[in-house]
Amino acid sequence: MRILIVEDEQRLAAALAQLLKEHQYAVDVAHDGNTGLDLALMDCYDVLVLDVMLPGQSGLDIVRQVRRAGLDVPILLLTAKDTVDDRVTGLDAGADDYLVKPFATKELLARIRALTRRTGTVSGPDTLTVGPFSMHLAERTIFRNGQPLNLTAKEFQLLELLMRNHGKVMSKELILDRVWGPDAEVIGNAVENYVHFLRKKIDVPGQPSYIETVRGVGYVFRVRDTKEER
């Protein structure tokens, strides 16, 4: 499960990230509202943990824009404000739960577990479908028009990221961070190589690739209306 923490108190953010990693969560951290919103709108997180008071955009701003974008990811707000009006404002904005600072780490973990149970899953929707592709996340299988495709674990991760963000240009740096991890030591043109491997496995001969190269930036996954997809 991947969790996004948006918290401007860097020591608290680091402590929360360490806690969640120790409980087998994958964690990304942002320290300002603008960066947090950009990451949240990628729609690749299972839970958002947002501080309310942030530089740039507030946690409430992020909640509203995430909901306006049609994303139903569970959202937990963290705040030092504990009045009823404050809690109501956060929940009315679209948050799912509210935790007042200071809080016990056991309660944070329990709230996150409760949010994932509320959505009926511990890792987002079980099936991701884009065009002719159907990806079954729990079984780690992928089909094109009902025909199975044999992908390696890393190829599956890369395709999942691209499919979740279909139509959006993903930079090479962002792909490296999401698929290989921010601390991974990657040698050579890893992203280019794996895109090449994926194209050989998912594309249809004689038709444009589903993965377009955006020169100088990265890649975008697009589904066109081809004969095979009808």
Side-chain angles (χ1 to χ4, degrees):
M1 185 186 301
R2 182 173 289 274
I3 296 178
L4 173 64
I5 298 172
V6 187
E7 169 61 67
D8 62 326
E9 295 181 37
Q10 297 197 18
R11 296 178 72 176
L12 174 58
L16 293 178
Q18 182 61 34
L19 170 72
L20 292 171
K21 289 176 181 178
E22 289 173 356
H23 285 79
Q24 309 307 310
Y25 295 102
V27 182
D28 292 329
V29 177
H31 298 298
D32 65 87
N34 294 329
T35 303
L37 177 62
D38 288 343
L39 291 172
L41 291 177
M42 287 176 55
D43 191 23
C44 62
Y45 295 99
D46 301 291
V47 177
L48 307 182
V49 179
L50 310 177
D51 186 24
V52 171
M53 301 299 293
L54 293 166
Q57 309 209 37
S58 72
L60 294 178
D61 292 332
I62 296 174
V63 172
R64 294 187 183 103
Q65 295 190 61
V66 165
R67 296 307 185 217
R68 200 173 297 135
L71 305 182
D72 60 357
V73 56
I75 300 176
L76 173 63
L77 287 177
L78 305 179
T79 182
K81 298 181 178 180
D82 61 353
T83 69
V84 172
D85 287 344
D86 290 324
R87 293 195 293 272
V88 169
T89 298
L91 296 172
D92 282 347
D96 297 278
D97 202 357
Y98 205 96
L99 191 56
V100 177
K101 301 177 181 177
F103 49 81
T105 56
K106 288 183 178 180
E107 184 176 7
L108 173 70
L109 293 169
R111 296 289 183 105
I112 290 174
R113 290 194 298 270
L115 286 174
T116 57
R117 285 197 301 270
R118 197 175 303 171
T119 61
T121 177
V122 296
S123 57
D126 182 63
T127 303
L128 176 62
T129 302
V130 180
F133 296 96
S134 181
M135 179 175 279
H136 301 273
L137 303 178
E139 294 85 1
R140 309 300 286 176
T141 55
I142 174 76
F143 298 83
R144 188 188 67 206
N145 287 326
Q147 298 300 312
L149 301 174
N150 185 22
L151 303 184
T152 67
K154 196 65 68 179
E155 290 167 351
F156 189 96
Q157 286 179 272
L158 175 56
L159 184 57
E160 180 184 354
L161 176 66
L162 293 171
M163 285 176 60
R164 283 187 182 274
N165 295 278
H166 63 94
K168 301 177 185 177
V169 178
M170 308 292 288
S171 70
K172 294 179 183 178
E173 293 77 12
L174 189 57
I175 292 172
L176 279 172
D177 181 64
R178 294 293 177 271
V179 177
W180 278 265
D183 301 320
E185 294 184 7
V186 180
I187 300 174
N189 299 321
V191 175
E192 292 88 341
N193 290 337
Y194 273 86
V195 167
H196 174 71
F197 299 152
L198 261 185
R199 283 171 171 160
K200 292 179 66 175
K201 294 184 177 182
I202 72 172
D203 287 345
V204 179
Q207 295 186 7
S209 176
Y210 291 103
I211 305 174
E212 292 182 13
T213 300
V214 181
R215 191 174 299 278
V217 182
Y219 301 94
V220 57
F221 187 88
R222 296 190 194 279
V223 173
R224 295 179 176 82
D225 184 20
T226 65
K227 290 182 180 179
E228 196 222 17
E229 292 158 21
R230 293 194 184 104

